[in-house]
Amino acid sequence: VIRFDGQVVVVSGAGRGIGRAHALLLGERGAHVVVNDADGDVANSVVAEIEAPGGAATAAIGDVVEDAAAIIDAALSVAGRIDALVNNAGIAWDKPFGSDAVRETERLLRVHVLGTVALTQCAWVPLVEVGGRVVNTTSGAVMGLVHSTAYAAAKGAILGWTRSLALEAAPLGVKVNAVMPMARTRMFELAGGEVGSAQDVWLSDNFPPELIAPTAVFLASEGVPFSGQVVETSGGTTAPVLICVGDYRAARTPEEVRDALVGTEGELTVVHGLAEMLATKMSS
Ligand SMILES: NC(=O)c1ccc[n+]([C@@H]2O[C@H](COP(=O)([O-])OP(=O)(O)OC[C@H]3O[C@@H](n4cnc5c(N)ncnc54)[C@H](O)[C@@H]3O)[C@@H](O)[C@H]2O)c1
C-alpha cells in the first residue's frame, strides 16, 4: 500500500479541480498536505475536507510565482521537511492566435512555467535532503490544440523542463515526473466549454478529477522507480507518453529531405534525452 505517513507534500492550485483531488487522496494516504491556492476560500475549505476524517493539512494561500518562498516556508514549518511537490496550479482559456499573442503567452508562461520553476527552486534543497519527488503538470495540448497556442507553449515548456531537470536530479536522488491529465473541471468553462452540453455531461460522467489523483499520488510517492516520465491519465486509465524519432535517412539536399520526410514511414525509436538521441543518430 502506498502511504505518506510522516511526509509533507505541497500541492499548488489545490483549492479546486485536479489539485483538490490530489490533496484529498494524499491526505487519505497519511501525508501532511500543504494546500496552496491563490484563492484563500477554496484552499481553506480543502484543508477542512482533509481534516474532517482525521487527515492533516495546512493552507498556504498565495500566488505560485510571487509567494513561492512563503508557500515553501509554510511547508517547512510543518515538520522541517518537504517530501514531494506537486506543481499543479494553472489557468487556461480559449483564444485564437492573434494580435494579443505576446501578452497572452507571457501570462500563461508566467503562471505555468515560472510558477513551477519558482516553487521547485524554493523547495529544491529540502527535496534533495530527503530524496524527494517533483510532479509537474503538462497537457495533451502539447500534441496540438486549436485556440491554445499560449497554453501549449507553457505546457510544452513544462514537458522539456521536467525531462531536463530529471537528468540533473538523478545523481541527487530526486525524481521528477509529470502528469498529462484530462478532467472535467472549472477549466472546461474557462476554455470555452458549454456548461450542460452533451459534451459537458459526457466529460463530467467519465472524466472526474478524482481519477487523475492516483497517478499523481504514485508519482509523488517514495517508491516511484523512474524519473523524467510524462504520464497521460484520464478517465481511470494511465499510460506513459513517449517521444519517438523515426528512421534517419540521407538529407544532404532539399530533394533528399523531401524524399526522406514525405510519404515515408519507418521504425520508431523511443528517446529519453537529447544526448541519447544523438548517440542513436551517430550509431545509425
Ligand atoms: N482539466 C483538464 O482537463 C486539464 C488538462 C490538462 C492539464 N490540466 C492542468 O491541470 C492543472 C489543474 O487544472 P484544473 O483543471 O484542476 O483547473 P481549475 O481551474 O479547476 O483549478 C486550478 C486551481 O489553480 C489555482 N491557481 C491558478 N493560478 C494560480 C496561481 N498563480 N497561484 C496559485 N494558485 C493558482 C486556481 O485558483 C484553481 O483553484 C492546471 O495546471 C491545468 O493546466 C488540466
Side-chain angles (χ1 to χ4, degrees), residues 12-19 36-39 42 62-65 88-91 111-112 137-140 151 155 180-187 190:
S12 73
R16 290 189 187 84
I18 294 169
N36 159 258
D37 208 284
D39 180 336
V42 292
D63 173 73
V64 282
V65 182
N88 162 82
I91 51 171
V111 179
H112 292 275
T137 307
T138 182
S139 164
Y151 184 69
K155 291 307 202 185
M180 180 183 277
M182 216 263 290
R184 168 60 173 99
T185 65
R186 183 184 68 147
M187 204 162 267
L190 299 179

PDB file of all heavy atoms in Angstrom, residues 12-19 36-39 42 62-65 88-91 111-112 137-140 151 155 180-187 190, ligand 1:
ATOM      1  N   SER A  12       0.220  22.688  -5.390  1.00  0.00           N
ATOM      2  CA  SER A  12      -0.172  24.042  -5.787  1.00  0.00           C
ATOM      3  C   SER A  12      -1.497  24.005  -6.534  1.00  0.00           C
ATOM      4  O   SER A  12      -1.841  23.013  -7.179  1.00  0.00           O
ATOM      5  CB  SER A  12       0.923  24.696  -6.633  1.00  0.00           C
ATOM      6  OG  SER A  12       0.954  24.119  -7.928  1.00  0.00           O
ATOM      7  N   GLY A  13      -2.260  25.089  -6.411  1.00  0.00           N
ATOM      8  CA  GLY A  13      -3.578  25.156  -7.058  1.00  0.00           C
ATOM      9  C   GLY A  13      -4.490  24.060  -6.554  1.00  0.00           C
ATOM     10  O   GLY A  13      -5.291  23.494  -7.306  1.00  0.00           O
ATOM     11  N   ALA A  14      -4.402  23.761  -5.254  1.00  0.00           N
ATOM     12  CA  ALA A  14      -5.117  22.600  -4.693  1.00  0.00           C
ATOM     13  C   ALA A  14      -6.510  22.946  -4.176  1.00  0.00           C
ATOM     14  O   ALA A  14      -7.164  22.117  -3.557  1.00  0.00           O
ATOM     15  CB  ALA A  14      -4.282  21.972  -3.576  1.00  0.00           C
ATOM     16  N   GLY A  15      -6.966  24.156  -4.439  1.00  0.00           N
ATOM     17  CA  GLY A  15      -8.281  24.557  -3.937  1.00  0.00           C
ATOM     18  C   GLY A  15      -9.436  24.041  -4.775  1.00  0.00           C
ATOM     19  O   GLY A  15     -10.585  24.011  -4.320  1.00  0.00           O
ATOM     20  N   ARG A  16      -9.151  23.672  -6.008  1.00  0.00           N
ATOM     21  CA  ARG A  16     -10.217  23.226  -6.917  1.00  0.00           C
ATOM     22  C   ARG A  16      -9.719  22.099  -7.802  1.00  0.00           C
ATOM     23  O   ARG A  16      -8.516  21.868  -7.909  1.00  0.00           O
ATOM     24  CB  ARG A  16     -10.584  24.357  -7.897  1.00  0.00           C
ATOM     25  CG  ARG A  16     -11.291  25.525  -7.321  1.00  0.00           C
ATOM     26  CD  ARG A  16     -11.782  26.432  -8.472  1.00  0.00           C
ATOM     27  NE  ARG A  16     -12.317  27.657  -7.935  1.00  0.00           N
ATOM     28  CZ  ARG A  16     -11.574  28.716  -7.615  1.00  0.00           C
ATOM     29  NH1 ARG A  16     -10.268  28.705  -7.832  1.00  0.00           N
ATOM     30  NH2 ARG A  16     -12.131  29.787  -7.101  1.00  0.00           N
ATOM     31  N   GLY A  17     -10.672  21.469  -8.465  1.00  0.00           N
ATOM     32  CA  GLY A  17     -10.383  20.593  -9.596  1.00  0.00           C
ATOM     33  C   GLY A  17      -9.376  19.494  -9.299  1.00  0.00           C
ATOM     34  O   GLY A  17      -9.464  18.775  -8.299  1.00  0.00           O
ATOM     35  N   ILE A  18      -8.403  19.372 -10.196  1.00  0.00           N
ATOM     36  CA  ILE A  18      -7.433  18.282 -10.133  1.00  0.00           C
ATOM     37  C   ILE A  18      -6.549  18.405  -8.881  1.00  0.00           C
ATOM     38  O   ILE A  18      -6.285  17.413  -8.196  1.00  0.00           O
ATOM     39  CB  ILE A  18      -6.577  18.270 -11.428  1.00  0.00           C
ATOM     40  CG1 ILE A  18      -7.470  17.926 -12.636  1.00  0.00           C
ATOM     41  CG2 ILE A  18      -5.409  17.311 -11.309  1.00  0.00           C
ATOM     42  CD1 ILE A  18      -6.794  18.140 -13.995  1.00  0.00           C
ATOM     43  N   GLY A  19      -6.111  19.619  -8.564  1.00  0.00           N
ATOM     44  CA  GLY A  19      -5.247  19.822  -7.394  1.00  0.00           C
ATOM     45  C   GLY A  19      -5.958  19.445  -6.101  1.00  0.00           C
ATOM     46  O   GLY A  19      -5.363  18.842  -5.193  1.00  0.00           O
ATOM     47  N   ASN A  36      -1.911  24.750  -1.367  1.00  0.00           N
ATOM     48  CA  ASN A  36      -1.738  26.111  -1.901  1.00  0.00           C
ATOM     49  C   ASN A  36      -2.874  26.443  -2.859  1.00  0.00           C
ATOM     50  O   ASN A  36      -3.316  25.599  -3.629  1.00  0.00           O
ATOM     51  CB  ASN A  36      -0.409  26.231  -2.649  1.00  0.00           C
ATOM     52  CG  ASN A  36      -0.430  27.413  -3.624  1.00  0.00           C
ATOM     53  OD1 ASN A  36      -0.604  27.233  -4.831  1.00  0.00           O
ATOM     54  ND2 ASN A  36      -0.350  28.622  -3.112  1.00  0.00           N
ATOM     55  N   ASP A  37      -3.314  27.677  -2.825  1.00  0.00           N
ATOM     56  CA  ASP A  37      -4.154  28.236  -3.888  1.00  0.00           C
ATOM     57  C   ASP A  37      -4.100  29.751  -3.773  1.00  0.00           C
ATOM     58  O   ASP A  37      -3.896  30.299  -2.690  1.00  0.00           O
ATOM     59  CB  ASP A  37      -5.609  27.743  -3.805  1.00  0.00           C
ATOM     60  CG  ASP A  37      -6.276  27.730  -5.185  1.00  0.00           C
ATOM     61  OD1 ASP A  37      -6.651  28.826  -5.676  1.00  0.00           O
ATOM     62  OD2 ASP A  37      -6.383  26.655  -5.797  1.00  0.00           O
ATOM     63  N   ALA A  38      -4.268  30.425  -4.906  1.00  0.00           N
ATOM     64  CA  ALA A  38      -4.331  31.884  -4.893  1.00  0.00           C
ATOM     65  C   ALA A  38      -5.641  32.330  -4.248  1.00  0.00           C
ATOM     66  O   ALA A  38      -5.737  33.451  -3.729  1.00  0.00           O
ATOM     67  CB  ALA A  38      -4.223  32.415  -6.320  1.00  0.00           C
ATOM     68  N   ASP A  39      -6.629  31.459  -4.285  1.00  0.00           N
ATOM     69  CA  ASP A  39      -7.944  31.763  -3.717  1.00  0.00           C
ATOM     70  C   ASP A  39      -8.023  31.138  -2.317  1.00  0.00           C
ATOM     71  O   ASP A  39      -8.060  29.915  -2.163  1.00  0.00           O
ATOM     72  CB  ASP A  39      -9.001  31.170  -4.676  1.00  0.00           C
ATOM     73  CG  ASP A  39     -10.423  31.399  -4.210  1.00  0.00           C
ATOM     74  OD1 ASP A  39     -10.631  31.587  -2.986  1.00  0.00           O
ATOM     75  OD2 ASP A  39     -11.318  31.370  -5.072  1.00  0.00           O
ATOM     76  N   VAL A  42     -11.155  28.664  -1.164  1.00  0.00           N
ATOM     77  CA  VAL A  42     -11.158  27.267  -1.610  1.00  0.00           C
ATOM     78  C   VAL A  42     -10.015  26.492  -0.949  1.00  0.00           C
ATOM     79  O   VAL A  42     -10.175  25.311  -0.605  1.00  0.00           O
ATOM     80  CB  VAL A  42     -11.135  27.125  -3.160  1.00  0.00           C
ATOM     81  CG1 VAL A  42     -12.438  27.608  -3.770  1.00  0.00           C
ATOM     82  CG2 VAL A  42      -9.942  27.799  -3.791  1.00  0.00           C
ATOM     83  N   GLY A  62      -1.622  31.917  -1.733  1.00  0.00           N
ATOM     84  CA  GLY A  62      -0.779  32.875  -2.439  1.00  0.00           C
ATOM     85  C   GLY A  62      -0.514  32.445  -3.864  1.00  0.00           C
ATOM     86  O   GLY A  62      -0.888  31.349  -4.293  1.00  0.00           O
ATOM     87  N   ASP A  63       0.146  33.360  -4.579  1.00  0.00           N
ATOM     88  CA  ASP A  63       0.470  33.145  -5.993  1.00  0.00           C
ATOM     89  C   ASP A  63       1.752  32.317  -6.118  1.00  0.00           C
ATOM     90  O   ASP A  63       2.729  32.568  -5.396  1.00  0.00           O
ATOM     91  CB  ASP A  63       0.654  34.508  -6.660  1.00  0.00           C
ATOM     92  CG  ASP A  63       1.164  34.388  -8.072  1.00  0.00           C
ATOM     93  OD1 ASP A  63       0.378  33.984  -8.943  1.00  0.00           O
ATOM     94  OD2 ASP A  63       2.362  34.666  -8.307  1.00  0.00           O
ATOM     95  N   VAL A  64       1.734  31.344  -7.031  1.00  0.00           N
ATOM     96  CA  VAL A  64       2.865  30.418  -7.142  1.00  0.00           C
ATOM     97  C   VAL A  64       4.178  31.084  -7.562  1.00  0.00           C
ATOM     98  O   VAL A  64       5.246  30.519  -7.313  1.00  0.00           O
ATOM     99  CB  VAL A  64       2.562  29.237  -8.094  1.00  0.00           C
ATOM    100  CG1 VAL A  64       1.692  28.197  -7.408  1.00  0.00           C
ATOM    101  CG2 VAL A  64       1.920  29.695  -9.394  1.00  0.00           C
ATOM    102  N   VAL A  65       4.109  32.265  -8.174  1.00  0.00           N
ATOM    103  CA  VAL A  65       5.357  32.953  -8.530  1.00  0.00           C
ATOM    104  C   VAL A  65       5.733  33.932  -7.422  1.00  0.00           C
ATOM    105  O   VAL A  65       6.792  33.799  -6.792  1.00  0.00           O
ATOM    106  CB  VAL A  65       5.233  33.695  -9.881  1.00  0.00           C
ATOM    107  CG1 VAL A  65       6.568  34.356 -10.255  1.00  0.00           C
ATOM    108  CG2 VAL A  65       4.773  32.755 -10.978  1.00  0.00           C
ATOM    109  N   ASN A  88       0.780  22.023  -9.792  1.00  0.00           N
ATOM    110  CA  ASN A  88      -0.486  21.816 -10.498  1.00  0.00           C
ATOM    111  C   ASN A  88      -1.198  23.115 -10.861  1.00  0.00           C
ATOM    112  O   ASN A  88      -1.987  23.129 -11.800  1.00  0.00           O
ATOM    113  CB  ASN A  88      -1.384  20.929  -9.603  1.00  0.00           C
ATOM    114  CG  ASN A  88      -2.825  20.987  -9.998  1.00  0.00           C
ATOM    115  OD1 ASN A  88      -3.260  20.301 -10.925  1.00  0.00           O
ATOM    116  ND2 ASN A  88      -3.616  21.829  -9.321  1.00  0.00           N
ATOM    117  N   ALA A  89      -0.908  24.215 -10.145  1.00  0.00           N
ATOM    118  CA  ALA A  89      -1.666  25.461 -10.363  1.00  0.00           C
ATOM    119  C   ALA A  89      -1.586  25.894 -11.818  1.00  0.00           C
ATOM    120  O   ALA A  89      -0.535  25.786 -12.450  1.00  0.00           O
ATOM    121  CB  ALA A  89      -1.118  26.565  -9.466  1.00  0.00           C
ATOM    122  N   GLY A  90      -2.695  26.379 -12.341  1.00  0.00           N
ATOM    123  CA  GLY A  90      -2.651  26.862 -13.721  1.00  0.00           C
ATOM    124  C   GLY A  90      -3.973  27.445 -14.151  1.00  0.00           C
ATOM    125  O   GLY A  90      -4.995  27.287 -13.482  1.00  0.00           O
ATOM    126  N   ILE A  91      -3.919  28.145 -15.271  1.00  0.00           N
ATOM    127  CA  ILE A  91      -5.130  28.721 -15.866  1.00  0.00           C
ATOM    128  C   ILE A  91      -5.102  28.415 -17.364  1.00  0.00           C
ATOM    129  O   ILE A  91      -4.063  28.061 -17.916  1.00  0.00           O
ATOM    130  CB  ILE A  91      -5.217  30.252 -15.642  1.00  0.00           C
ATOM    131  CG1 ILE A  91      -3.916  30.941 -16.063  1.00  0.00           C
ATOM    132  CG2 ILE A  91      -5.541  30.580 -14.193  1.00  0.00           C
ATOM    133  CD1 ILE A  91      -3.995  32.459 -16.080  1.00  0.00           C
ATOM    134  N   VAL A 111       2.389  31.860 -15.157  1.00  0.00           N
ATOM    135  CA  VAL A 111       1.719  31.012 -14.155  1.00  0.00           C
ATOM    136  C   VAL A 111       2.248  29.577 -14.212  1.00  0.00           C
ATOM    137  O   VAL A 111       2.654  29.010 -13.198  1.00  0.00           O
ATOM    138  CB  VAL A 111       0.189  30.994 -14.377  1.00  0.00           C
ATOM    139  CG1 VAL A 111      -0.480  30.088 -13.345  1.00  0.00           C
ATOM    140  CG2 VAL A 111      -0.382  32.388 -14.320  1.00  0.00           C
ATOM    141  N   HIS A 112       2.229  28.989 -15.414  1.00  0.00           N
ATOM    142  CA  HIS A 112       2.553  27.562 -15.516  1.00  0.00           C
ATOM    143  C   HIS A 112       4.055  27.317 -15.363  1.00  0.00           C
ATOM    144  O   HIS A 112       4.465  26.468 -14.564  1.00  0.00           O
ATOM    145  CB  HIS A 112       2.095  27.005 -16.870  1.00  0.00           C
ATOM    146  CG  HIS A 112       0.600  26.960 -17.008  1.00  0.00           C
ATOM    147  ND1 HIS A 112      -0.148  25.910 -16.540  1.00  0.00           N
ATOM    148  CD2 HIS A 112      -0.281  27.825 -17.549  1.00  0.00           C
ATOM    149  CE1 HIS A 112      -1.436  26.133 -16.790  1.00  0.00           C
ATOM    150  NE2 HIS A 112      -1.543  27.293 -17.409  1.00  0.00           N
ATOM    151  N   THR A 137       2.776  19.328 -14.088  1.00  0.00           N
ATOM    152  CA  THR A 137       1.524  19.121 -14.821  1.00  0.00           C
ATOM    153  C   THR A 137       1.647  19.706 -16.222  1.00  0.00           C
ATOM    154  O   THR A 137       1.729  20.918 -16.397  1.00  0.00           O
ATOM    155  CB  THR A 137       0.344  19.777 -14.069  1.00  0.00           C
ATOM    156  OG1 THR A 137       0.344  19.308 -12.720  1.00  0.00           O
ATOM    157  CG2 THR A 137      -0.978  19.419 -14.737  1.00  0.00           C
ATOM    158  N   THR A 138       1.693  18.817 -17.203  1.00  0.00           N
ATOM    159  CA  THR A 138       1.698  19.266 -18.589  1.00  0.00           C
ATOM    160  C   THR A 138       0.284  19.061 -19.137  1.00  0.00           C
ATOM    161  O   THR A 138      -0.682  18.979 -18.362  1.00  0.00           O
ATOM    162  CB  THR A 138       2.809  18.544 -19.399  1.00  0.00           C
ATOM    163  OG1 THR A 138       2.799  19.040 -20.732  1.00  0.00           O
ATOM    164  CG2 THR A 138       2.673  17.047 -19.382  1.00  0.00           C
ATOM    165  N   SER A 139       0.128  18.987 -20.432  1.00  0.00           N
ATOM    166  CA  SER A 139      -1.216  18.864 -21.006  1.00  0.00           C
ATOM    167  C   SER A 139      -1.138  18.216 -22.375  1.00  0.00           C
ATOM    168  O   SER A 139      -0.147  18.389 -23.099  1.00  0.00           O
ATOM    169  CB  SER A 139      -1.833  20.256 -21.143  1.00  0.00           C
ATOM    170  OG  SER A 139      -2.943  20.218 -22.020  1.00  0.00           O
ATOM    171  N   GLY A 140      -2.211  17.539 -22.748  1.00  0.00           N
ATOM    172  CA  GLY A 140      -2.323  16.998 -24.101  1.00  0.00           C
ATOM    173  C   GLY A 140      -2.279  18.101 -25.151  1.00  0.00           C
ATOM    174  O   GLY A 140      -2.082  17.810 -26.334  1.00  0.00           O
ATOM    175  N   TYR A 151      -1.208  28.432 -24.199  1.00  0.00           N
ATOM    176  CA  TYR A 151      -1.291  27.338 -23.222  1.00  0.00           C
ATOM    177  C   TYR A 151      -0.353  26.197 -23.618  1.00  0.00           C
ATOM    178  O   TYR A 151       0.382  25.653 -22.784  1.00  0.00           O
ATOM    179  CB  TYR A 151      -2.748  26.864 -23.157  1.00  0.00           C
ATOM    180  CG  TYR A 151      -3.023  25.799 -22.135  1.00  0.00           C
ATOM    181  CD1 TYR A 151      -2.959  26.066 -20.770  1.00  0.00           C
ATOM    182  CD2 TYR A 151      -3.366  24.510 -22.533  1.00  0.00           C
ATOM    183  CE1 TYR A 151      -3.232  25.079 -19.836  1.00  0.00           C
ATOM    184  CE2 TYR A 151      -3.649  23.522 -21.601  1.00  0.00           C
ATOM    185  CZ  TYR A 151      -3.572  23.807 -20.254  1.00  0.00           C
ATOM    186  OH  TYR A 151      -3.832  22.830 -19.330  1.00  0.00           O
ATOM    187  N   LYS A 155       2.719  24.573 -21.534  1.00  0.00           N
ATOM    188  CA  LYS A 155       2.731  23.170 -21.145  1.00  0.00           C
ATOM    189  C   LYS A 155       3.864  22.405 -21.846  1.00  0.00           C
ATOM    190  O   LYS A 155       4.395  21.436 -21.294  1.00  0.00           O
ATOM    191  CB  LYS A 155       1.373  22.527 -21.434  1.00  0.00           C
ATOM    192  CG  LYS A 155       0.257  23.050 -20.513  1.00  0.00           C
ATOM    193  CD  LYS A 155       0.629  22.928 -19.049  1.00  0.00           C
ATOM    194  CE  LYS A 155      -0.560  22.927 -18.120  1.00  0.00           C
ATOM    195  NZ  LYS A 155      -0.157  22.935 -16.688  1.00  0.00           N
ATOM    196  N   MET A 180      -0.002  14.235 -17.467  1.00  0.00           N
ATOM    197  CA  MET A 180      -0.702  14.874 -18.592  1.00  0.00           C
ATOM    198  C   MET A 180      -2.180  14.497 -18.411  1.00  0.00           C
ATOM    199  O   MET A 180      -2.615  13.442 -18.869  1.00  0.00           O
ATOM    200  CB  MET A 180      -0.135  14.330 -19.909  1.00  0.00           C
ATOM    201  CG  MET A 180      -0.771  14.915 -21.144  1.00  0.00           C
ATOM    202  SD  MET A 180      -0.103  14.170 -22.666  1.00  0.00           S
ATOM    203  CE  MET A 180       1.386  15.110 -22.914  1.00  0.00           C
ATOM    204  N   PRO A 181      -2.937  15.337 -17.657  1.00  0.00           N
ATOM    205  CA  PRO A 181      -4.285  14.923 -17.267  1.00  0.00           C
ATOM    206  C   PRO A 181      -5.363  15.379 -18.246  1.00  0.00           C
ATOM    207  O   PRO A 181      -5.118  16.201 -19.122  1.00  0.00           O
ATOM    208  CB  PRO A 181      -4.477  15.653 -15.939  1.00  0.00           C
ATOM    209  CG  PRO A 181      -3.702  16.930 -16.118  1.00  0.00           C
ATOM    210  CD  PRO A 181      -2.556  16.618 -17.035  1.00  0.00           C
ATOM    211  N   MET A 182      -6.528  14.819 -18.088  1.00  0.00           N
ATOM    212  CA  MET A 182      -7.728  15.353 -18.755  1.00  0.00           C
ATOM    213  C   MET A 182      -8.899  15.085 -17.826  1.00  0.00           C
ATOM    214  O   MET A 182      -9.149  13.940 -17.463  1.00  0.00           O
ATOM    215  CB  MET A 182      -7.936  14.650 -20.092  1.00  0.00           C
ATOM    216  CG  MET A 182      -8.488  15.563 -21.164  1.00  0.00           C
ATOM    217  SD  MET A 182     -10.254  15.428 -21.328  1.00  0.00           S
ATOM    218  CE  MET A 182     -10.453  13.826 -22.037  1.00  0.00           C
ATOM    219  N   ALA A 183      -9.572  16.169 -17.399  1.00  0.00           N
ATOM    220  CA  ALA A 183     -10.686  16.010 -16.461  1.00  0.00           C
ATOM    221  C   ALA A 183     -11.654  17.167 -16.626  1.00  0.00           C
ATOM    222  O   ALA A 183     -11.272  18.266 -17.038  1.00  0.00           O
ATOM    223  CB  ALA A 183     -10.164  15.976 -15.030  1.00  0.00           C
ATOM    224  N   ARG A 184     -12.893  16.915 -16.282  1.00  0.00           N
ATOM    225  CA  ARG A 184     -13.907  17.980 -16.305  1.00  0.00           C
ATOM    226  C   ARG A 184     -13.771  18.798 -15.035  1.00  0.00           C
ATOM    227  O   ARG A 184     -14.091  18.331 -13.948  1.00  0.00           O
ATOM    228  CB  ARG A 184     -15.304  17.370 -16.421  1.00  0.00           C
ATOM    229  CG  ARG A 184     -16.467  18.356 -16.175  1.00  0.00           C
ATOM    230  CD  ARG A 184     -16.462  19.526 -17.158  1.00  0.00           C
ATOM    231  NE  ARG A 184     -17.644  20.362 -17.031  1.00  0.00           N
ATOM    232  CZ  ARG A 184     -17.697  21.524 -16.356  1.00  0.00           C
ATOM    233  NH1 ARG A 184     -16.637  21.999 -15.719  1.00  0.00           N
ATOM    234  NH2 ARG A 184     -18.824  22.218 -16.337  1.00  0.00           N
ATOM    235  N   THR A 185     -13.241  20.018 -15.180  1.00  0.00           N
ATOM    236  CA  THR A 185     -13.087  20.935 -14.049  1.00  0.00           C
ATOM    237  C   THR A 185     -13.582  22.310 -14.492  1.00  0.00           C
ATOM    238  O   THR A 185     -14.051  22.474 -15.619  1.00  0.00           O
ATOM    239  CB  THR A 185     -11.600  21.077 -13.653  1.00  0.00           C
ATOM    240  OG1 THR A 185     -10.917  21.707 -14.758  1.00  0.00           O
ATOM    241  CG2 THR A 185     -10.943  19.733 -13.357  1.00  0.00           C
ATOM    242  N   ARG A 186     -13.371  23.291 -13.639  1.00  0.00           N
ATOM    243  CA  ARG A 186     -13.719  24.671 -13.988  1.00  0.00           C
ATOM    244  C   ARG A 186     -12.992  25.109 -15.266  1.00  0.00           C
ATOM    245  O   ARG A 186     -13.443  25.980 -16.004  1.00  0.00           O
ATOM    246  CB  ARG A 186     -13.312  25.567 -12.807  1.00  0.00           C
ATOM    247  CG  ARG A 186     -13.673  27.005 -12.966  1.00  0.00           C
ATOM    248  CD  ARG A 186     -13.135  27.806 -11.809  1.00  0.00           C
ATOM    249  NE  ARG A 186     -11.674  27.873 -11.831  1.00  0.00           N
ATOM    250  CZ  ARG A 186     -10.962  28.918 -11.412  1.00  0.00           C
ATOM    251  NH1 ARG A 186     -11.575  29.964 -10.914  1.00  0.00           N
ATOM    252  NH2 ARG A 186      -9.650  28.915 -11.449  1.00  0.00           N
ATOM    253  N   MET A 187     -11.839  24.477 -15.529  1.00  0.00           N
ATOM    254  CA  MET A 187     -11.058  24.836 -16.708  1.00  0.00           C
ATOM    255  C   MET A 187     -11.846  24.611 -18.004  1.00  0.00           C
ATOM    256  O   MET A 187     -11.639  25.295 -19.002  1.00  0.00           O
ATOM    257  CB  MET A 187      -9.767  24.026 -16.720  1.00  0.00           C
ATOM    258  CG  MET A 187      -8.677  24.680 -17.515  1.00  0.00           C
ATOM    259  SD  MET A 187      -7.072  24.023 -17.112  1.00  0.00           S
ATOM    260  CE  MET A 187      -6.537  25.141 -15.853  1.00  0.00           C
ATOM    261  N   LEU A 190     -13.586  27.800 -18.457  1.00  0.00           N
ATOM    262  CA  LEU A 190     -12.638  28.860 -18.810  1.00  0.00           C
ATOM    263  C   LEU A 190     -12.148  28.694 -20.244  1.00  0.00           C
ATOM    264  O   LEU A 190     -11.847  29.671 -20.928  1.00  0.00           O
ATOM    265  CB  LEU A 190     -11.435  28.860 -17.859  1.00  0.00           C
ATOM    266  CG  LEU A 190     -11.735  29.100 -16.380  1.00  0.00           C
ATOM    267  CD1 LEU A 190     -10.459  29.037 -15.558  1.00  0.00           C
ATOM    268  CD2 LEU A 190     -12.415  30.449 -16.176  1.00  0.00           C
TER     269      LEU A 190
HETATM  270  N1  LIG B   1      -8.741  19.962 -16.650  1.00  0.00           N
HETATM  271  C1  LIG B   1      -8.047  19.418 -17.633  1.00  0.00           C
HETATM  272  O1  LIG B   1      -8.585  18.662 -18.483  1.00  0.00           O
HETATM  273  C2  LIG B   1      -6.573  19.648 -17.745  1.00  0.00           C
HETATM  274  C3  LIG B   1      -5.900  19.110 -18.854  1.00  0.00           C
HETATM  275  C4  LIG B   1      -4.528  19.266 -18.947  1.00  0.00           C
HETATM  276  C5  LIG B   1      -3.862  19.954 -17.957  1.00  0.00           C
HETATM  277  N2  LIG B   1      -4.548  20.498 -16.916  1.00  0.00           N
HETATM  278  C6  LIG B   1      -3.783  21.222 -15.911  1.00  0.00           C
HETATM  279  O2  LIG B   1      -4.116  20.720 -14.620  1.00  0.00           O
HETATM  280  C7  LIG B   1      -3.911  21.755 -13.657  1.00  0.00           C
HETATM  281  C8  LIG B   1      -5.151  21.911 -12.800  1.00  0.00           C
HETATM  282  O3  LIG B   1      -6.226  22.338 -13.628  1.00  0.00           O
HETATM  283  P1  LIG B   1      -7.773  22.176 -13.248  1.00  0.00           P
HETATM  284  O4  LIG B   1      -8.443  21.650 -14.457  1.00  0.00           O
HETATM  285  O5  LIG B   1      -7.917  21.483 -11.956  1.00  0.00           O
HETATM  286  O6  LIG B   1      -8.188  23.726 -13.100  1.00  0.00           O
HETATM  287  P2  LIG B   1      -9.042  24.521 -12.004  1.00  0.00           P
HETATM  288  O7  LIG B   1      -9.272  25.864 -12.574  1.00  0.00           O
HETATM  289  O8  LIG B   1     -10.230  23.699 -11.582  1.00  0.00           O
HETATM  290  O9  LIG B   1      -8.060  24.610 -10.743  1.00  0.00           O
HETATM  291  C9  LIG B   1      -6.848  25.321 -10.803  1.00  0.00           C
HETATM  292  C10 LIG B   1      -6.589  25.941  -9.447  1.00  0.00           C
HETATM  293  O10 LIG B   1      -5.322  26.632  -9.529  1.00  0.00           O
HETATM  294  C11 LIG B   1      -5.445  27.864  -8.848  1.00  0.00           C
HETATM  295  N3  LIG B   1      -4.468  28.823  -9.398  1.00  0.00           N
HETATM  296  C12 LIG B   1      -4.469  29.380 -10.631  1.00  0.00           C
HETATM  297  N4  LIG B   1      -3.445  30.239 -10.767  1.00  0.00           N
HETATM  298  C13 LIG B   1      -2.772  30.212  -9.587  1.00  0.00           C
HETATM  299  C14 LIG B   1      -1.625  30.877  -9.106  1.00  0.00           C
HETATM  300  N5  LIG B   1      -0.968  31.778  -9.869  1.00  0.00           N
HETATM  301  N6  LIG B   1      -1.189  30.606  -7.845  1.00  0.00           N
HETATM  302  C15 LIG B   1      -1.860  29.719  -7.060  1.00  0.00           C
HETATM  303  N7  LIG B   1      -2.978  29.077  -7.459  1.00  0.00           N
HETATM  304  C16 LIG B   1      -3.420  29.312  -8.705  1.00  0.00           C
HETATM  305  C17 LIG B   1      -6.876  28.313  -9.094  1.00  0.00           C
HETATM  306  O11 LIG B   1      -7.314  29.257  -8.112  1.00  0.00           O
HETATM  307  C18 LIG B   1      -7.635  26.992  -9.043  1.00  0.00           C
HETATM  308  O12 LIG B   1      -8.155  26.729  -7.745  1.00  0.00           O
HETATM  309  C19 LIG B   1      -3.528  23.003 -14.454  1.00  0.00           C
HETATM  310  O13 LIG B   1      -2.119  23.123 -14.494  1.00  0.00           O
HETATM  311  C20 LIG B   1      -4.047  22.691 -15.834  1.00  0.00           C
HETATM  312  O14 LIG B   1      -3.390  23.438 -16.825  1.00  0.00           O
HETATM  313  C21 LIG B   1      -5.894  20.366 -16.781  1.00  0.00           C
END
